[in-house]
Amino acid sequence: MNILVRHPVVAGALAFVASASILVLANDVWLMRLTELLIWILFAASLNFLISFSGMVSFGHAAYFGLGCYGFALSAKAGVPIIVAVMIGPLVATFAAAIYGALCVRLNKIYFAMLTLACAEITYSVIHQWYDLTGGDTGLTQFAPPSLDLGARGFALLVLACCAGGLLVIRLVLNAPLGLVIRSVGENPGRAAALGFSQRQVQWVAFVIAGSLAGVAGTLYSAFQGNAFPDYAGMRFSLAPLVMVILGGLGSFFGPVIGAIVEKGLTGVLSHYVVFWELIMGVVVITVTVYSPHGFWGLIKRVINKGAPRG
Amino acid sequence: MKYRMYVATVAIGLSLVTGASFAADPILIGYVGDLSGACGPYNDGNLKATRIAVDEINASGGLLGRKVELKVRDSKTNPEEATKQARESIVVDKADILTGPCTSSVLLADAAVAQEHKKLLWNSIGTTHRANIDFGNRYVYQSVANSLMEGRALAEYAATQKSWKRIATIGLDYEWPRQTIEMFKQHLKELRPDVQFVNSVWPKLGESNFGSYIPVLLNDKPDVVFGVMFGSASSNFIRQGKTYGMFERTKVFTYASTYLLKALGNDIPEGVYGWTRSPFYGIKSPAMDSFVAKFKEAHKDFPDDESIAGYDSMMQMAGAIKLAKSLDPAKLVDALAAQEYVGLRGKVSVRKLDINAYAPTFIGVTKKTPAYSFPILTDLVRIDGERVMPSEVEVARMRALAK
């Protein structure tokens, strides 16, 4: 166990191999569920990067997810080769994050959150009402071969690679000098400014990174579902990763992974047996925020550390 | 040890017995419908009738020697949820064939999943023609008139109303109203070049306050207001229209399904022009009488149009399965087209080119009658699908445009 903690690279590689083997062995039902889960992990991790490490709580992260979807779907529909279309999706999201980000980082805290929400609502409205381009409420379907023609298993492995890649990027950024600056601005903007760092610039960079990763998740989601709907840029898709981050545990790197597993697992099971499952989900979220502010990841860490000597 | 042997023997014996009584797995119909959300009431009537049909089919020995089972999932009038539920229905429940979508977006989402997994999906509520005509999806059977046919049928009717010269339109801002109004305009201009279209307004889906739209419509002094909306939007439009004196100042021509007439009751004025898809009161046949009696007995209510269409299409599909002796989508499509089906709506045949039924549209005028507690459409005109179906050339053109 100690080796794994001391060598995160080894631990990560092991986790990747283990996940890949699960995907290779999984049956159709689980393959479908795990693929979706992996996309959500990537999406939640990109939001977590903003919230936990950059000190920016975004209420409109779905904008970049949705633009990733539509960037991919519209370019595939226009006849762009699929391999290019999957790159256009994240690019559109990155571009939008660069513009919206420049606007949003001018403000702090709740004002920042409201601005991100406003940007997401603008995106949603445009997608919803630009009927001739996006099909409005009808959405886009049948623009690309299902699962990008890779087969369900091949596609699941691609998603795993993207998800692992995304997490790796976040990890590398966090450990690099850039990450230290991002974290210091997140923790204490005043002090960081006194050290000569421009708060806005640093936050803007973090915002663009998070937006582009959300765009990757969006593109994958659109390819997985075989469709794009305005909903993907809407409120529900902004809240879901937020709930995952909170459930998993604020301030931790692996929080969103656990959070996504818990959220998807709970909704999957509950919605199958209970009509008012959203009510139960609400109670769970409230309980976790009140009794375990560091979420499920915090709980797991507490259990592991119980036996270990302190200090 | 002996005890264990005994239990094992009984267990094996039991499994053999039960195995024998269900010699073959049932045919599983995945009903992925909008049971909650805006479409809830429409799907409710549809599902009730589909259940009646399934019970009848099973009572007469099932299909291909197998029992028919319905496994219901709620797509919540939400295309993303529909994609998920349709996929789970096929992969987890092992559905052989799908039905249930209501809104155009849910229908399109389900259609994509059906094609991906090569299962047939039949639709008896939504009217979009994008899946079966534009995309040429060979896994979708459209059993009601699509918005293209409906728009044209309404234009045929409007063309016979000589006093209708200035027409204003109002439609909720999404696929069905947009397509229907577009087709209505196009076709009516061909039939009656003297007709002039004045204002059109597009409230968004979910709008409940029409106070800012009705005066705009009335401003242009139209002879008739053509409205394409459904559910609570329709009832609000009609109730609020009364307070603006809309029904005194102009005629109104709108979608008036049985569900709406029942829900509004005497709140809908007499003399409103309305259309609908399969009114139980407008089709006289022994089959219809017996279905209405059966439905009333089970649910203490008259069946909606969606109920008639649900029952009718389920029975039509059962006939096709018998004829095809298979659940293979391509064979089922052949059987649907070859079959001479006479159901609640009379004879409804299917064109193979776009897997679309030659389904009728009914148009009439609201009037109170002693027979029912709610006004119904009277002086009904039935416009059959044969009159308004897009030609093969048009279908080819639409497919080329969609590419």
Side-chain angles (χ1 to χ4, degrees):
Chain A
M1 203 65 193
N2 253 343
I3 295 177
L4 293 185
V5 177
R6 259 187 241 146
H7 301 280
V9 179
V10 180
L14 275 178
F16 181 78
V17 172
S19 320
S21 9
I22 291 175
L23 290 184
V24 169
L25 297 174
N27 63 14
D28 288 356
V29 178
W30 279 101
L31 207 54
M32 187 173 89
R33 290 180 180 157
L34 291 174
T35 308
E36 198 196 336
L37 176 66
L38 284 167
I39 298 173
W40 279 104
I41 289 177
L42 179 59
F43 186 25
S46 73
L47 180 64
N48 185 51
F49 174 69
L50 266 191
I51 296 181
S52 295
F53 300 108
S54 322
M56 295 185 276
V57 179
S58 168
F59 283 168
H61 209 44
Y64 318 103
F65 185 84
L67 286 170
C69 289
Y70 274 87
F72 164 67
L74 285 172
S75 45
K77 197 180 169 70
V80 173
I82 292 298
I83 186 87
V84 181
V86 291
M87 288 174 204
I88 292 180
L91 277 180
V92 171
T94 311
F95 187 63
I99 294 172
Y100 286 162
L103 198 72
C104 295
V105 297
R106 301 173 72 86
L107 296 175
N108 280 328
K109 303 208 169 92
I110 187 72
Y111 306 102
F112 168 83
M114 293 329 278
L115 257 190
T116 55
L117 178 63
C119 289
E121 284 298 291
I122 290 170
T123 311
Y124 172 79
S125 303
V126 169
I127 293 176
H128 194 264
Q129 285 171 11
W130 197 346
Y131 191 83
D132 294 331
L133 181 74
T134 62
D137 180 63
T138 313
L140 299 168
T141 45
Q142 315 207 331
F143 44 79
S147 307
L148 301 179
D149 249 351
L150 297 171
R153 208 171 300 279
F155 184 72
L157 289 171
L158 171 73
V159 170
L160 175 65
C162 291
C163 179
L167 288 174
L168 190 66
V169 166
I170 295 177
R171 189 85 203 178
L172 288 177
V173 168
L174 284 177
N175 288 341
L178 171 66
L180 292 178
V181 176
I182 289 177
R183 279 147 89 169
S184 59
V185 168
E187 272 166 28
N188 194 331
R191 278 195 179 181
L195 288 173
F197 297 115
S198 154
Q199 182 193 345
R200 281 184 192 170
Q201 241 172 36
V202 173
Q203 287 190 329
W204 181 77
V205 171
F207 198 91
V208 173
I209 293 174
S212 62
L213 287 176
V216 174
T219 297
L220 289 173
Y221 196 72
S222 179
F224 170 65
Q225 300 285 22
N227 57 36
F229 291 106
D231 215 29
Y232 295 167
M235 204 54 217
R236 234 161 45 82
F237 275 70
S238 282
L239 284 180
L242 205 58
V243 169
M244 290 172 185
V245 169
I246 291 169
L247 280 180
L250 285 169
S252 65
F253 179 77
F254 286 108
V257 180
I258 306 293
I261 295 173
V262 171
E263 206 264 0
K264 279 285 133 196
L266 271 180
T267 48
V269 174
L270 286 177
S271 64
H272 212 90
Y273 296 105
V274 193
V275 179
F276 299 108
W277 60 274
E278 277 152 323
L279 185 75
I280 301 182
M281 267 310 281
V283 173
V284 170
V285 173
I286 291 173
T287 315
V288 168
T289 34
V290 173
Y291 292 103
S292 177
H294 292 288
F296 279 90
W297 180 245
L299 266 179
I300 295 172
K301 271 205 337 211
R302 242 189 283 170
V303 171
I304 293 176
N305 290 344
K306 225 167 195 174
R310 299 193 173 214
Chain B
M1 196 63 203
K2 249 190 184 163
Y3 172 71
R4 267 193 207 163
M5 286 284 282
Y6 175 71
V7 171
T9 321
V10 170
I12 291 168
L14 267 178
S15 66
L16 281 177
V17 170
T18 49
S21 63
F22 298 107
D25 290 338
I27 291 176
L28 194 75
I29 298 172
Y31 189 99
V32 182
D34 298 326
L35 300 171
S36 53
C39 256
Y42 296 92
N43 259 110
D44 180 56
N46 186 262
L47 177 59
K48 280 175 180 161
T50 309
R51 284 195 198 282
I52 293 178
V54 167
D55 288 346
E56 279 180 22
I57 292 166
N58 282 333
S60 62
L63 294 171
L64 313 180
R66 293 159 71 180
K67 210 176 145 234
V68 176
E69 250 178 46
L70 210 55
K71 177 104 186 181
V72 181
R73 282 173 177 269
D74 183 5
S75 45
K76 305 193 175 92
T77 319
N78 170 344
E80 189 243 338
E81 188 68 24
T83 304
K84 192 150 123 196
Q85 297 297 343
R87 208 173 264 151
E88 296 238 338
S89 179
I90 295 172
V91 179
V92 180
D93 303 343
K94 309 274 178 236
D96 297 297
I97 185 164
L98 294 177
T99 187
C102 174
T103 61
S104 348
S105 50
V106 165
L107 170 57
L108 284 166
D110 282 358
V113 176
Q115 186 176 39
E116 183 186 333
H117 290 272
K118 303 198 170 23
K119 302 281 179 203
L120 192 68
L121 162 76
W122 90 85
N123 163 56
S124 60
I125 309 179
T127 58
T128 180
H129 52 78
R130 281 197 192 228
N132 64 327
I133 297 188
D134 294 20
F135 297 147
N137 187 329
R138 299 307 289 169
Y139 298 87
V140 180
Y141 166 42
Q142 180 68 21
S143 79
V144 287
N146 60 47
S147 36
L148 208 150
M149 297 159 66
E150 204 169 82
R152 280 186 184 169
L154 301 176
E156 297 260 336
Y157 183 86
T160 62
Q161 305 291 318
K162 293 292 172 228
S163 65
W164 295 4
K165 294 216 169 70
R166 291 167 68 81
I167 303 183
T169 67
I170 174 169
L172 297 178
D173 195 4
Y174 79 101
E175 175 85 1
W176 167 56
R178 280 197 174 264
Q179 290 287 351
T180 308
I181 289 177
E182 177 63 29
M183 281 304 138
F184 177 75
K185 278 187 176 174
Q186 264 184 29
H187 198 53
L188 190 54
K189 273 183 192 152
E190 287 165 19
L191 298 170
R192 284 267 307 274
D194 62 316
V195 165
Q196 192 191 351
F197 282 95
V198 290
N199 241 327
S200 20
V201 291
W202 299 98
K204 62 182 191 306
L205 186 58
E207 181 64 73
S208 57
N209 185 2
F210 294 90
S212 54
Y213 298 103
I214 294 169
V216 175
L217 290 171
L218 294 178
N219 239 348
D220 277 341
K221 302 200 173 18
D223 299 317
V224 61
V225 169
F226 180 64
V228 186
M229 53 188 90
F230 76 102
S232 55
S234 290
S235 12
N236 286 348
F237 177 65
I238 285 166
R239 287 207 179 98
Q240 290 163 16
K242 287 210 297 200
T243 63
Y244 286 89
M246 178 169 70
F247 297 97
E248 288 81 45
R249 291 167 66 181
T250 180
K251 293 194 174 61
V252 174
F253 185 19
T254 189
Y255 178 54
S257 67
T258 308
Y259 167 73
L260 183 78
L261 296 175
K262 285 197 296 194
L264 275 173
N266 287 330
D267 275 357
I268 188 164
E270 288 194 321
V272 173
Y273 291 80
W275 80 86
T276 190
R277 292 163 192 164
S278 12
F280 73 91
Y281 54 81
I283 309 168
K284 294 279 167 261
S285 71
M288 181 62 94
D289 292 345
S290 106
F291 173 73
V292 172
K294 198 177 260 180
F295 193 93
K296 269 194 91 171
E297 194 191 319
H299 302 292
K300 312 275 172 282
D301 197 3
F302 290 105
D304 298 334
D305 297 71
E306 293 73 24
S307 314
I308 311 284
Y311 177 90
D312 225 9
S313 60
M314 177 72 245
M315 286 306 193
Q316 188 176 27
M317 193 52 73
I321 292 174
K322 274 185 194 160
L323 191 65
K325 296 191 180 59
S326 157
L327 291 164
D328 176 69
K331 286 183 185 153
L332 282 177
V333 169
D334 286 342
L336 277 169
Q339 175 176 226
E340 284 283 321
Y341 178 74
V342 181
L344 299 181
R345 293 173 294 175
K347 181 167 164 283
V348 176
S349 38
V350 179
R351 180 163 77 174
K352 200 178 159 187
L353 173 71
D354 47 5
I355 329 178
N356 209 117
Y358 289 93
T361 303
F362 296 82
I363 306 158
V365 187
T366 54
K367 193 173 174 20
K368 287 176 194 140
T369 59
Y372 307 106
S373 60
F374 48 91
I376 56 166
L377 297 176
T378 54
D379 302 324
L380 273 179
V381 175
R382 174 183 171 133
I383 296 185
D384 276 315
E386 281 80 353
R387 243 172 96 183
V388 288
M389 195 79 129
S391 69
E392 291 186 18
V393 178
E394 282 172 287
V395 169
R397 198 172 57 218
M398 286 163 75
R399 286 185 176 162
L401 264 178
K403 283 229 169 87

PDB file of all heavy atoms in Angstrom, chain B residues 4-29:
ATOM      1  N   ARG B   4     -30.062 -32.427   1.358  1.00  0.00           N
ATOM      2  CA  ARG B   4     -29.582 -31.570   0.275  1.00  0.00           C
ATOM      3  C   ARG B   4     -29.916 -32.147  -1.096  1.00  0.00           C
ATOM      4  O   ARG B   4     -30.297 -31.421  -2.001  1.00  0.00           O
ATOM      5  CB  ARG B   4     -28.074 -31.409   0.380  1.00  0.00           C
ATOM      6  CG  ARG B   4     -27.713 -30.182   1.182  1.00  0.00           C
ATOM      7  CD  ARG B   4     -26.279 -29.859   1.005  1.00  0.00           C
ATOM      8  NE  ARG B   4     -25.816 -29.159   2.188  1.00  0.00           N
ATOM      9  CZ  ARG B   4     -24.547 -29.021   2.503  1.00  0.00           C
ATOM     10  NH1 ARG B   4     -23.624 -29.564   1.748  1.00  0.00           N
ATOM     11  NH2 ARG B   4     -24.204 -28.358   3.571  1.00  0.00           N
ATOM     12  N   MET B   5     -29.721 -33.455  -1.202  1.00  0.00           N
ATOM     13  CA  MET B   5     -30.034 -34.132  -2.463  1.00  0.00           C
ATOM     14  C   MET B   5     -31.494 -33.907  -2.838  1.00  0.00           C
ATOM     15  O   MET B   5     -31.835 -33.629  -3.973  1.00  0.00           O
ATOM     16  CB  MET B   5     -29.789 -35.646  -2.326  1.00  0.00           C
ATOM     17  CG  MET B   5     -28.342 -36.040  -2.315  1.00  0.00           C
ATOM     18  SD  MET B   5     -27.639 -35.984  -3.963  1.00  0.00           S
ATOM     19  CE  MET B   5     -28.297 -37.522  -4.599  1.00  0.00           C
ATOM     20  N   TYR B   6     -32.325 -34.030  -1.776  1.00  0.00           N
ATOM     21  CA  TYR B   6     -33.751 -33.901  -1.966  1.00  0.00           C
ATOM     22  C   TYR B   6     -34.084 -32.499  -2.505  1.00  0.00           C
ATOM     23  O   TYR B   6     -34.801 -32.329  -3.493  1.00  0.00           O
ATOM     24  CB  TYR B   6     -34.446 -34.156  -0.628  1.00  0.00           C
ATOM     25  CG  TYR B   6     -35.927 -33.947  -0.642  1.00  0.00           C
ATOM     26  CD1 TYR B   6     -36.762 -34.852  -1.329  1.00  0.00           C
ATOM     27  CD2 TYR B   6     -36.515 -32.870   0.013  1.00  0.00           C
ATOM     28  CE1 TYR B   6     -38.121 -34.657  -1.344  1.00  0.00           C
ATOM     29  CE2 TYR B   6     -37.871 -32.679   0.004  1.00  0.00           C
ATOM     30  CZ  TYR B   6     -38.680 -33.571  -0.677  1.00  0.00           C
ATOM     31  OH  TYR B   6     -40.023 -33.375  -0.703  1.00  0.00           O
ATOM     32  N   VAL B   7     -33.498 -31.476  -1.848  1.00  0.00           N
ATOM     33  CA  VAL B   7     -33.735 -30.101  -2.269  1.00  0.00           C
ATOM     34  C   VAL B   7     -33.280 -29.890  -3.712  1.00  0.00           C
ATOM     35  O   VAL B   7     -33.987 -29.303  -4.537  1.00  0.00           O
ATOM     36  CB  VAL B   7     -33.011 -29.108  -1.323  1.00  0.00           C
ATOM     37  CG1 VAL B   7     -33.079 -27.698  -1.881  1.00  0.00           C
ATOM     38  CG2 VAL B   7     -33.619 -29.157   0.057  1.00  0.00           C
ATOM     39  N   ALA B   8     -32.089 -30.424  -4.016  1.00  0.00           N
ATOM     40  CA  ALA B   8     -31.542 -30.249  -5.363  1.00  0.00           C
ATOM     41  C   ALA B   8     -32.458 -30.882  -6.407  1.00  0.00           C
ATOM     42  O   ALA B   8     -32.738 -30.284  -7.451  1.00  0.00           O
ATOM     43  CB  ALA B   8     -30.147 -30.875  -5.445  1.00  0.00           C
ATOM     44  N   THR B   9     -32.959 -32.080  -6.086  1.00  0.00           N
ATOM     45  CA  THR B   9     -33.837 -32.766  -7.036  1.00  0.00           C
ATOM     46  C   THR B   9     -35.099 -31.948  -7.290  1.00  0.00           C
ATOM     47  O   THR B   9     -35.521 -31.748  -8.433  1.00  0.00           O
ATOM     48  CB  THR B   9     -34.251 -34.151  -6.492  1.00  0.00           C
ATOM     49  OG1 THR B   9     -33.132 -34.719  -5.844  1.00  0.00           O
ATOM     50  CG2 THR B   9     -34.735 -35.044  -7.597  1.00  0.00           C
ATOM     51  N   VAL B  10     -35.677 -31.470  -6.194  1.00  0.00           N
ATOM     52  CA  VAL B  10     -36.889 -30.676  -6.339  1.00  0.00           C
ATOM     53  C   VAL B  10     -36.607 -29.418  -7.171  1.00  0.00           C
ATOM     54  O   VAL B  10     -37.376 -29.058  -8.066  1.00  0.00           O
ATOM     55  CB  VAL B  10     -37.465 -30.296  -4.949  1.00  0.00           C
ATOM     56  CG1 VAL B  10     -38.590 -29.274  -5.110  1.00  0.00           C
ATOM     57  CG2 VAL B  10     -37.974 -31.535  -4.248  1.00  0.00           C
ATOM     58  N   ALA B  11     -35.460 -28.789  -6.864  1.00  0.00           N
ATOM     59  CA  ALA B  11     -35.116 -27.560  -7.582  1.00  0.00           C
ATOM     60  C   ALA B  11     -34.986 -27.827  -9.071  1.00  0.00           C
ATOM     61  O   ALA B  11     -35.529 -27.100  -9.907  1.00  0.00           O
ATOM     62  CB  ALA B  11     -33.821 -26.982  -7.034  1.00  0.00           C
ATOM     63  N   ILE B  12     -34.273 -28.901  -9.408  1.00  0.00           N
ATOM     64  CA  ILE B  12     -34.084 -29.227 -10.828  1.00  0.00           C
ATOM     65  C   ILE B  12     -35.426 -29.546 -11.473  1.00  0.00           C
ATOM     66  O   ILE B  12     -35.756 -29.060 -12.555  1.00  0.00           O
ATOM     67  CB  ILE B  12     -33.109 -30.416 -10.978  1.00  0.00           C
ATOM     68  CG1 ILE B  12     -31.689 -29.978 -10.581  1.00  0.00           C
ATOM     69  CG2 ILE B  12     -33.117 -30.933 -12.410  1.00  0.00           C
ATOM     70  CD1 ILE B  12     -30.715 -31.104 -10.423  1.00  0.00           C
ATOM     71  N   GLY B  13     -36.225 -30.331 -10.732  1.00  0.00           N
ATOM     72  CA  GLY B  13     -37.550 -30.689 -11.238  1.00  0.00           C
ATOM     73  C   GLY B  13     -38.384 -29.459 -11.526  1.00  0.00           C
ATOM     74  O   GLY B  13     -38.956 -29.309 -12.600  1.00  0.00           O
ATOM     75  N   LEU B  14     -38.395 -28.550 -10.538  1.00  0.00           N
ATOM     76  CA  LEU B  14     -39.175 -27.320 -10.694  1.00  0.00           C
ATOM     77  C   LEU B  14     -38.737 -26.516 -11.906  1.00  0.00           C
ATOM     78  O   LEU B  14     -39.548 -26.028 -12.686  1.00  0.00           O
ATOM     79  CB  LEU B  14     -39.026 -26.442  -9.449  1.00  0.00           C
ATOM     80  CG  LEU B  14     -40.094 -26.623  -8.364  1.00  0.00           C
ATOM     81  CD1 LEU B  14     -39.781 -25.723  -7.190  1.00  0.00           C
ATOM     82  CD2 LEU B  14     -41.477 -26.318  -8.925  1.00  0.00           C
ATOM     83  N   SER B  15     -37.410 -26.394 -12.054  1.00  0.00           N
ATOM     84  CA  SER B  15     -36.906 -25.585 -13.156  1.00  0.00           C
ATOM     85  C   SER B  15     -37.292 -26.217 -14.490  1.00  0.00           C
ATOM     86  O   SER B  15     -37.581 -25.528 -15.452  1.00  0.00           O
ATOM     87  CB  SER B  15     -35.390 -25.412 -13.052  1.00  0.00           C
ATOM     88  OG  SER B  15     -34.771 -26.662 -13.224  1.00  0.00           O
ATOM     89  N   LEU B  16     -37.312 -27.561 -14.515  1.00  0.00           N
ATOM     90  CA  LEU B  16     -37.716 -28.241 -15.751  1.00  0.00           C
ATOM     91  C   LEU B  16     -39.178 -27.938 -16.061  1.00  0.00           C
ATOM     92  O   LEU B  16     -39.553 -27.627 -17.188  1.00  0.00           O
ATOM     93  CB  LEU B  16     -37.516 -29.758 -15.618  1.00  0.00           C
ATOM     94  CG  LEU B  16     -36.090 -30.235 -15.795  1.00  0.00           C
ATOM     95  CD1 LEU B  16     -35.993 -31.731 -15.567  1.00  0.00           C
ATOM     96  CD2 LEU B  16     -35.565 -29.869 -17.180  1.00  0.00           C
ATOM     97  N   VAL B  17     -40.009 -28.005 -15.003  1.00  0.00           N
ATOM     98  CA  VAL B  17     -41.430 -27.783 -15.192  1.00  0.00           C
ATOM     99  C   VAL B  17     -41.699 -26.370 -15.682  1.00  0.00           C
ATOM    100  O   VAL B  17     -42.380 -26.133 -16.671  1.00  0.00           O
ATOM    101  CB  VAL B  17     -42.200 -28.038 -13.875  1.00  0.00           C
ATOM    102  CG1 VAL B  17     -43.641 -27.570 -14.004  1.00  0.00           C
ATOM    103  CG2 VAL B  17     -42.144 -29.512 -13.528  1.00  0.00           C
ATOM    104  N   THR B  18     -41.110 -25.385 -14.959  1.00  0.00           N
ATOM    105  CA  THR B  18     -41.362 -23.989 -15.363  1.00  0.00           C
ATOM    106  C   THR B  18     -40.783 -23.751 -16.748  1.00  0.00           C
ATOM    107  O   THR B  18     -41.358 -23.049 -17.555  1.00  0.00           O
ATOM    108  CB  THR B  18     -40.734 -23.002 -14.369  1.00  0.00           C
ATOM    109  OG1 THR B  18     -39.399 -23.406 -14.139  1.00  0.00           O
ATOM    110  CG2 THR B  18     -41.488 -22.976 -13.067  1.00  0.00           C
ATOM    111  N   GLY B  19     -39.632 -24.375 -17.003  1.00  0.00           N
ATOM    112  CA  GLY B  19     -39.017 -24.231 -18.322  1.00  0.00           C
ATOM    113  C   GLY B  19     -39.945 -24.733 -19.404  1.00  0.00           C
ATOM    114  O   GLY B  19     -40.069 -24.131 -20.459  1.00  0.00           O
ATOM    115  N   ALA B  20     -40.658 -25.811 -19.088  1.00  0.00           N
ATOM    116  CA  ALA B  20     -41.529 -26.380 -20.102  1.00  0.00           C
ATOM    117  C   ALA B  20     -42.736 -25.490 -20.368  1.00  0.00           C
ATOM    118  O   ALA B  20     -43.169 -25.342 -21.489  1.00  0.00           O
ATOM    119  CB  ALA B  20     -41.981 -27.768 -19.651  1.00  0.00           C
ATOM    120  N   SER B  21     -43.257 -24.852 -19.280  1.00  0.00           N
ATOM    121  CA  SER B  21     -44.469 -24.077 -19.483  1.00  0.00           C
ATOM    122  C   SER B  21     -44.194 -22.789 -20.259  1.00  0.00           C
ATOM    123  O   SER B  21     -45.062 -22.229 -20.893  1.00  0.00           O
ATOM    124  CB  SER B  21     -45.145 -23.769 -18.146  1.00  0.00           C
ATOM    125  OG  SER B  21     -44.277 -22.970 -17.380  1.00  0.00           O
ATOM    126  N   PHE B  22     -42.968 -22.240 -20.195  1.00  0.00           N
ATOM    127  CA  PHE B  22     -42.604 -21.101 -21.035  1.00  0.00           C
ATOM    128  C   PHE B  22     -41.605 -21.579 -22.067  1.00  0.00           C
ATOM    129  O   PHE B  22     -40.433 -21.243 -22.010  1.00  0.00           O
ATOM    130  CB  PHE B  22     -41.985 -19.973 -20.210  1.00  0.00           C
ATOM    131  CG  PHE B  22     -42.932 -19.415 -19.197  1.00  0.00           C
ATOM    132  CD1 PHE B  22     -42.797 -19.674 -17.852  1.00  0.00           C
ATOM    133  CD2 PHE B  22     -43.990 -18.609 -19.614  1.00  0.00           C
ATOM    134  CE1 PHE B  22     -43.687 -19.154 -16.928  1.00  0.00           C
ATOM    135  CE2 PHE B  22     -44.881 -18.081 -18.687  1.00  0.00           C
ATOM    136  CZ  PHE B  22     -44.730 -18.361 -17.339  1.00  0.00           C
ATOM    137  N   ALA B  23     -42.109 -22.423 -22.973  1.00  0.00           N
ATOM    138  CA  ALA B  23     -41.214 -23.086 -23.921  1.00  0.00           C
ATOM    139  C   ALA B  23     -40.320 -22.072 -24.620  1.00  0.00           C
ATOM    140  O   ALA B  23     -39.150 -22.321 -24.846  1.00  0.00           O
ATOM    141  CB  ALA B  23     -42.030 -23.855 -24.934  1.00  0.00           C
ATOM    142  N   ALA B  24     -40.906 -20.921 -24.957  1.00  0.00           N
ATOM    143  CA  ALA B  24     -40.087 -19.917 -25.618  1.00  0.00           C
ATOM    144  C   ALA B  24     -40.152 -18.638 -24.792  1.00  0.00           C
ATOM    145  O   ALA B  24     -41.121 -18.401 -24.088  1.00  0.00           O
ATOM    146  CB  ALA B  24     -40.618 -19.652 -27.011  1.00  0.00           C
ATOM    147  N   ASP B  25     -39.100 -17.821 -24.866  1.00  0.00           N
ATOM    148  CA  ASP B  25     -39.128 -16.533 -24.178  1.00  0.00           C
ATOM    149  C   ASP B  25     -40.251 -15.696 -24.752  1.00  0.00           C
ATOM    150  O   ASP B  25     -40.605 -15.832 -25.917  1.00  0.00           O
ATOM    151  CB  ASP B  25     -37.800 -15.802 -24.419  1.00  0.00           C
ATOM    152  CG  ASP B  25     -36.674 -16.470 -23.682  1.00  0.00           C
ATOM    153  OD1 ASP B  25     -36.962 -17.176 -22.706  1.00  0.00           O
ATOM    154  OD2 ASP B  25     -35.509 -16.285 -24.093  1.00  0.00           O
ATOM    155  N   PRO B  26     -40.808 -14.807 -23.941  1.00  0.00           N
ATOM    156  CA  PRO B  26     -41.839 -13.932 -24.492  1.00  0.00           C
ATOM    157  C   PRO B  26     -41.239 -12.937 -25.488  1.00  0.00           C
ATOM    158  O   PRO B  26     -40.036 -12.671 -25.455  1.00  0.00           O
ATOM    159  CB  PRO B  26     -42.367 -13.201 -23.260  1.00  0.00           C
ATOM    160  CG  PRO B  26     -41.313 -13.315 -22.230  1.00  0.00           C
ATOM    161  CD  PRO B  26     -40.566 -14.576 -22.517  1.00  0.00           C
ATOM    162  N   ILE B  27     -42.091 -12.412 -26.351  1.00  0.00           N
ATOM    163  CA  ILE B  27     -41.674 -11.301 -27.213  1.00  0.00           C
ATOM    164  C   ILE B  27     -41.771 -10.051 -26.363  1.00  0.00           C
ATOM    165  O   ILE B  27     -42.827  -9.730 -25.822  1.00  0.00           O
ATOM    166  CB  ILE B  27     -42.593 -11.184 -28.434  1.00  0.00           C
ATOM    167  CG1 ILE B  27     -42.382 -12.384 -29.359  1.00  0.00           C
ATOM    168  CG2 ILE B  27     -42.349  -9.870 -29.168  1.00  0.00           C
ATOM    169  CD1 ILE B  27     -43.300 -12.410 -30.551  1.00  0.00           C
ATOM    170  N   LEU B  28     -40.653  -9.372 -26.194  1.00  0.00           N
ATOM    171  CA  LEU B  28     -40.651  -8.234 -25.286  1.00  0.00           C
ATOM    172  C   LEU B  28     -40.781  -6.922 -26.058  1.00  0.00           C
ATOM    173  O   LEU B  28     -39.972  -6.619 -26.938  1.00  0.00           O
ATOM    174  CB  LEU B  28     -39.371  -8.223 -24.458  1.00  0.00           C
ATOM    175  CG  LEU B  28     -39.459  -7.269 -23.277  1.00  0.00           C
ATOM    176  CD1 LEU B  28     -40.330  -7.862 -22.186  1.00  0.00           C
ATOM    177  CD2 LEU B  28     -38.091  -6.958 -22.736  1.00  0.00           C
ATOM    178  N   ILE B  29     -41.824  -6.158 -25.712  1.00  0.00           N
ATOM    179  CA  ILE B  29     -41.998  -4.847 -26.318  1.00  0.00           C
ATOM    180  C   ILE B  29     -41.494  -3.800 -25.348  1.00  0.00           C
ATOM    181  O   ILE B  29     -41.962  -3.694 -24.226  1.00  0.00           O
ATOM    182  CB  ILE B  29     -43.481  -4.591 -26.644  1.00  0.00           C
ATOM    183  CG1 ILE B  29     -43.955  -5.634 -27.651  1.00  0.00           C
ATOM    184  CG2 ILE B  29     -43.672  -3.188 -27.183  1.00  0.00           C
ATOM    185  CD1 ILE B  29     -45.430  -5.604 -27.888  1.00  0.00           C
TER     186      ILE B  29
END
